[in-house]
Every structure is written in structure tokens, then in C-alpha cells.
Amino acid sequence: MESEEIQEIEVRLLLDALYLRYGYDFRNYDRTLLKRRLLSCLEACTFNTIAEIIPHLLHQGSFLPRLVHALSVNTTAMFRDPAVFAAIRESLLPVLATYPFINIWHAGCATGEEVYSLAILLAEAGLLDHARLYATDIDEEVLAKAREGVYAADHLTQFAANYRAAGGCRELGDYVTQAYGLVRMAERLRENIVFANHNLVTDGVFAEIHLLMCRNVLIYFDPGLQKRAVGLFRDSLVRGGFLCLGHTESLLFSGHADHFREFSRRHRIYRKRTPSEPSS
């Protein structure tokens, strides 16, 4: 078993190689998470040490997607944390309805279930035709699955329960087709979603956003990277735009808290201040 010191050096060298060769910057991600995921990657491969990954990464481009997928956080579900989606339905959508057109950004969308959940909320509020949803991630493998919108049917019962708990007024089956043990999201939902690769570590603002969802991503960043990401969110949001974070995340130590006010403390929803609003 390698010492912690040697393992830390290997992790640092691997992350430097990944950044210098391909531009993917995981250097400021939580180290405990990264080590755990790298060790899982070792078990799935034929490598004995983290250092053995480096030459494969540098000389075999086909290994890159596998490593990025191993390091990325891809946990999601339709209407995950239903109370949050209920709050969006009841409190945010009436405000968003006052805009002639709505831009929504879901940063770190993973396999897309929560993006389709938002599309369903918009459809039921009569807003989908006036909205564009940008769903982004750094992992091309999960983005491909999100674009396809096809999921295992054995998750449908839990998805439907989440939908009802989020205030769904129809049947979730109205939004999917089911066959051969799979469910496919309805085309009318997919038409208004743009799936794209975007890196919160290195990429910039690309649209004026009215609602920005980034749930359970910041917890995997170190404080410096959290500050960078929240600054990007601040610059992306229109005045009065909404930011929705994960239930364990906060803007308190982000360096940008004064640019937001709490809209719902319970659901970690913030609203960007207008110039006339005093900071607290």
C-alpha cells in the first residue's frame, strides 16, 4: 500500500497532466472525493497505482472520456428533492412568467433528469414555448445520455412519486413513452433544451439567465473554486434572477453573498439583487 504522501504526489501529477494536455481542471476539486474516485477507477482498470494512469492519459486520447467520467459527479433523479421543485413551481414560475422570454441554465446537469423535470414544470405553467433551457456538464458521456433522454423504466415509479410530491397535476406517464424496459422523454420537452459542454472552472458567461440551477456541485469544489463559480453565476444572472443550490450549499463564504438575497433559506434559493437593493 502506497503512503499517503506518495499518493498525494501522484494525484497532483495526474491532475496537472489532465489540465496541461486537455484543459480539464480538477486541481481545485475536493481532494478526498478525487482520491476516492481515482481509487475506484483503479479497481475498474488494470492499474495498480494512480501514477500508472498518467501515460495512458497522455498518449491514448481514448482514455480521456473514461477518466473525466470517473472524476465527475453524476448523481441525479427526476424531481430530486421534490420540495425544491414545488417551491420553483409555486414561487419562481409566477415571477418568471413576467418576462417575455426565459433563459434557464442547469449547470452540472449530469444525465439530464432534473432538466426534463424543469421542462415539465414550464409546460404545465404554459411557459415552455417561451423558454430556453441550457443544460451543461463537462462529462460528454452523461451529456450524450441527457440529449437522448432515455432512462431505465425501473426508475419510473420513484420518478412519478417525486413528480406528485412536487405538485404535479397530471401523470408523469404523459411526458414519456415506454418500451423494452426503457422510458423516453417526450419530444416536446426536448425541443427547448440545449445540451452543451461547459466547464465551471475555465469557461465564462454565455447567456443572460433568469433561473440558474447548480445543485450539489459546489460542495465538491475548494473555497477558491467555489468563489470563481459563484462569481460566474452572478455575472450570468439578470438583475433579479434566481440561483438554486443544493440543500447543503450556501453563498455565505463565497465572497459574493452581498450580491444576493435569500429568497428561500429552506430550499437554498437566492435572488440577485438589483442596484437599488441594499446589501445585508
Side-chain angles (χ1 to χ4, degrees), residues 62-254:
S62 60
F63 189 76
L64 174 64
R66 185 172 187 176
L67 181 61
V68 171
H69 183 69
L71 295 180
S72 301
V73 180
N74 298 312
T75 303
T76 188
M78 290 203 73
F79 297 95
R80 182 168 60 149
D81 299 329
V84 174
F85 283 91
I88 293 172
R89 181 194 296 274
E90 297 164 6
S91 301
L92 269 63
L93 293 190
V95 179
L96 296 178
T98 64
Y99 293 97
F101 195 82
I102 308 164
N103 286 322
I104 296 175
W105 178 16
H106 196 300
C109 70
T111 46
E113 287 93 326
E114 291 177 72
V115 179
Y116 290 112
S117 303
L118 281 172
I120 290 172
L121 293 188
L122 291 165
E124 293 183 347
L127 298 174
L128 186 57
D129 290 339
H130 308 287
R132 178 74 67 198
L133 293 84
Y134 298 95
T136 66
D137 207 285
I138 62 170
D139 186 341
E140 287 291 350
E141 182 175 334
V142 297
L143 275 175
K145 185 169 184 179
R147 287 190 189 97
E148 190 177 21
V150 176
Y151 306 104
D154 56 9
H155 297 311
L156 191 58
T157 300
Q158 184 59 58
F159 290 171
N162 290 350
Y163 168 70
R164 290 190 296 271
C169 55
R170 300 178 61 176
E171 294 293 331
L172 187 60
D174 295 339
Y175 300 102
V176 302
T177 56
Q178 186 171 350
Y180 306 109
L182 300 171
V183 294
R184 183 180 179 87
M185 303 308 299
E187 187 63 31
R188 67 182 185 275
L189 301 177
R190 294 145 52 86
E191 288 174 350
N192 292 68
I193 305 176
V194 176
F195 293 99
N197 191 299
H198 184 277
N199 192 332
L200 294 175
V201 181
T202 57
D203 295 336
V205 175
F206 61 87
E208 290 190 329
I209 302 299
H210 300 91
L211 168 60
L212 202 161
M213 303 277 288
C214 186
R215 304 177 64 228
N216 306 307
V217 174
L218 295 182
I219 55 174
Y220 299 107
F221 293 173
D222 72 8
L225 188 48
Q226 288 182 10
K227 182 176 181 179
R228 199 268 181 194
V230 175
L232 177 63
F233 299 159
R234 178 202 65 198
D235 294 341
S236 299
L237 285 166
V238 300
R239 295 170 181 174
F242 296 97
L243 171 63
C244 185
L245 300 178
H247 70 280
T248 63
E249 297 171 324
S250 170
L251 297 181
L252 190 58
F253 302 108
S254 68

